[in-house]
């Protein structure tokens, strides 16, 4: 077994370590979401936390980790007799992004069901994580069906399994810790709200601190056991402080003044619901216990707000998380409690040089201090900044109009791509629609169909016991239908004919609305722009809709209209993406007025480029941006060449777009 990197040896990342420690003191805080760029010790710190967690008392032999002092009366392994107990380290269970539903919640023990004829339950990861840590790396990439199960378990503190003739309920209370890189896409709002705290991490730009990070990483890799031994005293001190804070926690007093500050802060930042108030109260109480105090002070409320509110105040996925600290300070000062709970500027850490270090956070003796760089920027994702492709008359970028809700655009037919929320598809995790013989390895057994196939042959196979005699030819694969995510590739005309400020603002608002829809439907997005004499891939296909929105916002306009170049560049992007992800189907959204200028025969060349998409059956929509009293209908002609359909900017908001998918499908059939 590998030796983990010591928690106290992590350099910097003060907010991250504090948030993790507060959850170790009070698991009721609700977990931590760690957002940040790659290579910032997110996973290292989380894995190191498990070594600091106090041991848990468990009922001996219970697969569900029941507490011997208050066992779960509904435990599937119960009822438990008093006295049979032991202790073990708190578990940290990792949930892989590609895990199956059976692996997460558990399922019927197929081997025992077929061999012994008994109905037995095989626990999943939610049972293993009970009274421990459930860690999800790249939590924003987790499939929706797993997110739904996590939400249920986190809300109820229990897991309910109703499937394949099995009906089981068991306790499942865990500290949920997730890490994510915002460049790869955002998290569903429902799951985002379930995380008690959130922290933004980034790599330090201080040379001395970076040197120390490398020095410690190399020392650990060369001799993990020896490196851990050098930090054993610091680890033991922090572990003891966690135990002491847990014991002090019930004695901490949350006065009316602190409660007023919490309520006023949540109201001032217009967070939804009451969960933020509750999380802030629990976090402030944990902060006081961690500092060795029995009273919650204004500084605790302030720190709790900085950790608990940023991810709850986002009004849409393109809002950067964060908190206006000046507004926070004004609110705390205005609603300072008369009973002294809102004061407390002179209450220092009881042991400023102890294992908690300044501010109640563990600081190794030789760690250089520094705040590091700003929070990770969503726009610093894949691809470079769009380079001007030229021509005179370039104008400064216009601001996007307010986004609006659009009707769903989907790819016709039945796909087999990654799970999502846009188009119909055969998926591993959806509604069971039937059974078939497995083609290759069996991934999801259809139990009823398998039993039905094997039942007529039992006498011929000499069955004598309760078990079913099953052969490989009897096995049946479950077929399921759900929704897939698509690649939505935007091809945006940024030429001079589109450059009117009011018009381009409306165009950007429409594309932003479609991006918002793509975010909600778990799509990958890409952005190709054309103007001047060439086309640019402003953003290669990515899951980061935030990055696409940022590139769109900074999009300059001006110059000629190389429509053919834009379509050919989009065609090349799709070709490369098919090699990387062949199962993901594409939807091309061309945003243009249909004009084509520059070069010999620009209109004919654009038509030939468009027919490449039609020949390959690529679903497409043209958003017609033509305006003015005289309309040439060029966008409609382009849509015909593409084998798709056209919709105006006004129609994008209207109910008439509801028939768009049928139109796309009809046009493709006619072609």
């Amino acid at each position: 077994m590998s030796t983990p990197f010591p928690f106290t040896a992590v350099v910097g990342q003060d907010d991250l370590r504090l948030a993790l420690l507060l959850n170790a003191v009070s698991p009721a805080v609700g977990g931590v979401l760690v957002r940040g760029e790659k290579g910032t010790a997110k996973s290292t710190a989380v894995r190191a936390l498990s070594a600091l967690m106090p041991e848990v008392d468990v009922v001996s032999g219970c697969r569900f980790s029941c507490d011997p002092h208050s066992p779960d009366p509904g435990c599937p392994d119960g009822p438990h007799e008093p006295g049979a107990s032991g202790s073990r380290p708190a578990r940290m269970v990792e949930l892989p992004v590609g895990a199956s539903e059976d692996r997460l919640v558990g399922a019927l023990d197929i081997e025992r069901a077929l061999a012994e004829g008994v109905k037995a339950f095989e626990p999943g990861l939610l049972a293993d994580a009970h009274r421990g840590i459930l860690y999800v790396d790249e939590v924003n990439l987790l499939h929706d069906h797993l997110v739904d199960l996590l939400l249920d378990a986190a809300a109820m503190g229990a897991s309910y399994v109703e499937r394949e003739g099995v009906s089981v309920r068991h306790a499942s209370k865990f500290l949920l810790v997730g890490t994510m890189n915002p460049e790869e896409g955002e998290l569903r709002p429902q799951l985002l709200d379930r995380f008690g705290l959130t922290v933004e991490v980034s790599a330090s730009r201080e040379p001395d601190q970076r040197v120390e990070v490398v020095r410690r990483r190399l020392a650990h890799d060369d001799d993990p056991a020896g490196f851990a031994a050098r930090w054993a005293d610091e680890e033991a001190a922090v572990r003891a402080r966690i135990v002491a804070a847990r014991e002090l926690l019930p004695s901490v007093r949350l006065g009316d003044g602190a409660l007023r500050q919490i309520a006023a802060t949540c109201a001032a930042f217009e967070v939804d619901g009451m969960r933020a108030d509750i999380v802030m109260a629990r976090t402030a109480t944990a902060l006081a216990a961690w500092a060795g105090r029995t009273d919650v002070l204004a500084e605790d409320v302030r720190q709790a707000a900085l950790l608990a509110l940023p991810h709850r105040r986002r009004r849409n996925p393109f809002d950067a998380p964060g908190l206006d600290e000046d507004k926070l300070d004004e609110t705390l000062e205005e609603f300072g409690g008369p009973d002294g709970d809102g004061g407390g500027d002179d209450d220092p850490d009881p042991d400023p040089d102890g294992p908690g270090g300044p501010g109640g956070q563990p600081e190794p003796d030789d760690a250089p201090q520094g705040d590091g760089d700003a929070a990770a920027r969503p726009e610093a994702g894949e691809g470079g900044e769009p380079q001007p492709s030229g021509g005179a008359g370039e104008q400064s970028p216009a601001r996007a109009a307010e986004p609006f809700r659009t009707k769903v655009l989907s790819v016709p037919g039945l796909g087999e791509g990654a799970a999502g929320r846009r188009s119909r598809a055969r998926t591993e995790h959806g509604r069971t629609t039937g059974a078939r013989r497995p083609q290759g390895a069996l991934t999801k057994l259809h139990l009823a169909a398998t039993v039905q196939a094997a039942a007529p042959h039992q006498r011929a196979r000499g069955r004598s016991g309760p078990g079913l005699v099953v052969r490989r030819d009897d096995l049946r694969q479950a077929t399921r239908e759900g929704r897939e995510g698509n690649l939505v590739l935007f091809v945006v005309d940024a030429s001079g004919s589109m450059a009117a400020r009011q018009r381009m603002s409306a165009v950007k608002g429409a594309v932003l609305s479609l991006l918002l829809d793509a975010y909600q439907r778990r799509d990958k997005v890409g952005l190709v722009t054309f103007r001047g004499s060439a086309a640019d891939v402003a953003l290669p296909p990515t899951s980061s809709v935030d990055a696409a929105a940022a590139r769109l916002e900074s999009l300059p306009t001006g110059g000629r209209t190389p429509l053919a170049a834009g379509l050919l560049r989009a065609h090349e992007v799709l070709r490369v993406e098919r090699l990387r992800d062949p199962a993901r189907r594409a939807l091309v959204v061309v945003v243009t007025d249909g004009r084509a200028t520059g070069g010999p025969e620009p209109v004919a060349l654009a038509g030939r480029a468009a027919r490449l998409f039609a020949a390959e059956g690529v679903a497409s929509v043209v958003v017609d941006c033509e305006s003015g009293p005289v309309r040439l209908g060029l966008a409609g002609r382009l849509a015909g060449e593409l084998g798709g359909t056209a919709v105006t900017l006004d129609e994008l908001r209207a109910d008439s777009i509801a028939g768009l998918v049928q139109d796309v499908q009809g046009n493709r059939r006619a072609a």
Side-chain angles (χ1 to χ4, degrees):
M1 182 177 178
S2 60
T3 303
F5 195 89
F7 186 86
T8 51
V10 175
V11 178
Q13 308 298 13
D14 295 344
D15 287 344
L16 168 59
R17 292 188 297 158
L18 177 61
L20 291 171
L21 288 169
L22 292 177
N23 275 275
V25 170
S26 176
V29 166
V32 187
L33 175 64
V34 188
R35 297 165 43 95
E37 58 199 19
K38 51 190 175 292
T40 49
K42 301 188 298 292
S43 300
T44 298
V46 174
R47 292 189 175 100
L49 176 68
S50 60
L52 299 179
M53 297 289 284
E55 290 192 342
V56 294
D57 295 330
V58 296
V59 174
S60 299
C62 178
R63 296 174 298 166
F64 302 89
S65 302
C66 279
D67 186 345
H69 306 295
S70 57
D72 180 9
C75 176
D77 284 355
H80 298 298
E81 297 295 331
S85 63
S87 62
R88 61 162 175 77
R91 291 177 182 152
M92 189 188 76
V93 177
E94 294 197 40
L95 173 60
V97 169
S100 67
E101 185 175 333
D102 290 349
R103 186 70 189 96
L104 179 61
V105 301
L108 177 68
D109 189 330
I110 300 296
E111 183 177 347
R112 292 190 63 191
L114 296 179
E116 303 175 23
V118 298
K119 198 170 11 176
F121 178 69
E122 184 177 1
L125 296 177
L126 290 179
D128 294 341
H130 181 45
R131 304 178 66 205
I133 302 171
L134 182 61
Y135 172 47
V136 189
D137 194 12
E138 306 294 351
V139 64
N140 51 322
L141 304 183
L142 200 62
H143 289 309
D144 280 352
H145 70 287
L146 297 182
V147 170
D148 293 337
L149 295 170
L150 273 182
L151 288 172
D152 290 342
M156 298 182 291
S159 175
Y160 292 83
V161 184
E162 299 282 349
R163 54 192 307 170
E164 297 164 343
V166 174
S167 179
V168 173
R169 174 262 176 212
H170 65 82
S172 182
K173 297 179 180 179
F174 47 81
L175 168 57
L176 181 61
V177 181
T179 56
M180 61 174 282
N181 183 348
E183 296 173 3
E184 297 172 337
E186 279 295 345
L187 202 59
R188 277 177 56 184
Q190 295 93 330
L191 184 56
L192 187 66
D193 189 52
R194 284 293 172 185
F195 284 98
L197 310 180
T198 185
V199 291
E200 296 278 337
V201 296
S202 61
S204 172
R205 298 299 184 261
E206 293 291 332
D208 290 342
Q209 196 169 52
R210 296 176 73 96
V211 166
E212 187 62 26
V213 170
V214 175
R215 182 183 292 122
R216 294 188 189 183
R217 183 76 256 179
L218 294 178
H220 175 266
D221 292 346
D222 290 341
D223 182 12
F227 185 82
R230 291 196 292 274
W231 290 90
D233 290 343
E234 287 82 353
E235 293 280 288
V238 173
R239 191 179 299 110
R241 187 170 177 183
I242 291 173
V243 173
R246 281 190 172 190
E247 293 174 351
L248 182 62
L249 189 64
S251 303
V252 175
R253 187 177 72 91
L254 184 65
D256 289 343
L259 279 172
R260 281 174 54 82
Q261 287 183 316
I262 290 170
T265 300
C266 292
F269 286 98
E270 300 180 347
V271 296
D272 296 329
M274 295 297 299
R275 183 172 286 117
D277 303 64
I278 296 170
V279 171
M280 272 190 66
R282 289 171 174 166
T283 305
T285 303
L287 281 161
W290 177 247
R293 290 185 266 100
T294 56
D295 285 314
V296 173
L297 306 180
E299 63 197 56
D300 300 321
V301 176
R302 186 182 193 279
Q303 183 66 61
L306 293 175
L307 293 173
L309 296 188
H311 61 302
R312 291 187 167 88
R313 60 160 295 276
R314 298 185 66 176
R315 311 316 296 179
N316 67 64
F318 308 132
D319 290 339
L323 218 60
D324 184 342
E325 295 194 32
D326 291 337
K327 180 178 179 180
L328 174 61
D329 291 335
E330 291 174 4
T331 303
L332 293 177
E333 183 176 355
E334 180 181 355
F335 290 90
D339 57 356
D341 297 313
D345 293 332
D346 56 351
D347 191 82
D349 190 298
D351 184 14
D353 299 322
Q361 303 170 48
E363 293 292 342
D365 296 337
D366 54 346
Q369 300 303 310
D371 294 330
D373 197 16
R377 295 180 295 272
E379 64 270 23
E382 301 172 278
E385 289 296 328
Q387 298 298 318
S389 52
E394 179 177 311
Q395 300 184 18
S396 60
R399 294 189 62 84
E402 192 69 22
F404 53 87
R405 183 175 296 278
T406 67
K407 297 292 180 67
V408 60
L409 310 177
S410 62
V411 179
L414 194 63
E416 295 183 347
R421 292 185 155 195
R422 184 171 294 277
S423 306
R424 291 176 58 228
R426 299 182 188 93
T427 62
E428 288 292 323
H429 315 286
R431 178 173 54 89
T432 300
T433 57
R436 60 175 172 81
R437 292 181 182 273
Q439 299 170 349
L442 179 70
T443 57
K444 181 63 181 176
L445 180 72
H446 194 298
L447 183 60
T450 299
V451 171
Q452 187 175 10
H457 309 290
Q458 296 307 294
R459 181 174 295 179
R461 294 173 183 175
R463 173 184 171 184
S464 58
L468 197 67
V469 181
V470 179
R471 295 179 180 171
R472 182 168 184 79
D473 288 344
D474 301 326
L475 299 178
R476 295 294 183 268
Q477 172 84 28
T479 58
R480 298 186 168 191
E481 183 178 313
R483 292 278 170 177
E484 67 177 359
N486 297 116
L487 166 60
V488 182
L489 182 61
F490 294 93
V491 185
V492 180
D493 185 348
S495 65
S497 65
M498 301 277 289
R501 303 290 295 180
Q502 201 170 29
R503 185 174 172 199
M504 197 62 199
S505 177
V507 168
K508 286 187 176 182
V511 178
L512 199 63
S513 303
L514 292 168
L515 281 172
L516 180 59
D517 181 69
Y519 159 77
Q520 294 167 339
R521 299 187 186 282
R522 314 297 287 174
D523 293 316
K524 289 181 73 173
V525 296
L527 180 62
V528 173
T529 64
F530 58 93
R531 67 188 182 93
S533 59
D536 296 311
V537 181
L539 187 73
T542 174
S543 296
S544 178
V545 178
D546 279 0
R551 302 297 166 87
L552 177 72
E553 190 70 29
S554 61
L555 178 66
T557 57
R560 292 184 178 272
T561 312
L563 177 58
L567 294 175
L568 291 173
R569 180 60 65 91
H571 186 268
E572 176 64 16
V573 169
L574 291 184
R575 185 190 69 80
V576 173
E577 193 63 19
R578 281 194 206 101
L579 298 176
R580 294 175 177 168
D581 192 356
R584 188 182 291 269
R585 298 185 295 164
L587 174 65
V588 176
V589 180
V590 184
V591 184
T592 181
D593 57 9
R595 300 174 189 271
T597 60
E601 299 184 340
V603 176
L605 186 59
R608 289 198 295 270
R611 287 192 289 274
L612 291 175
F613 293 87
E616 296 175 359
V618 178
S620 59
V621 176
V622 177
V623 179
D624 184 359
C625 302
E626 191 174 26
S627 61
V630 179
R631 307 243 177 167
L632 303 178
L634 298 176
R637 293 183 207 170
L638 176 63
E641 299 278 8
L642 287 166
T645 190
V647 57
T648 67
L649 283 173
D650 292 336
E651 290 170 340
L652 200 58
R653 298 173 176 265
D655 293 339
S656 58
I657 198 175
L660 191 57
V661 177
Q662 286 79 4
D663 292 342
V664 172
Q665 195 167 13
N667 289 339
R668 287 182 58 186
R669 285 174 178 167

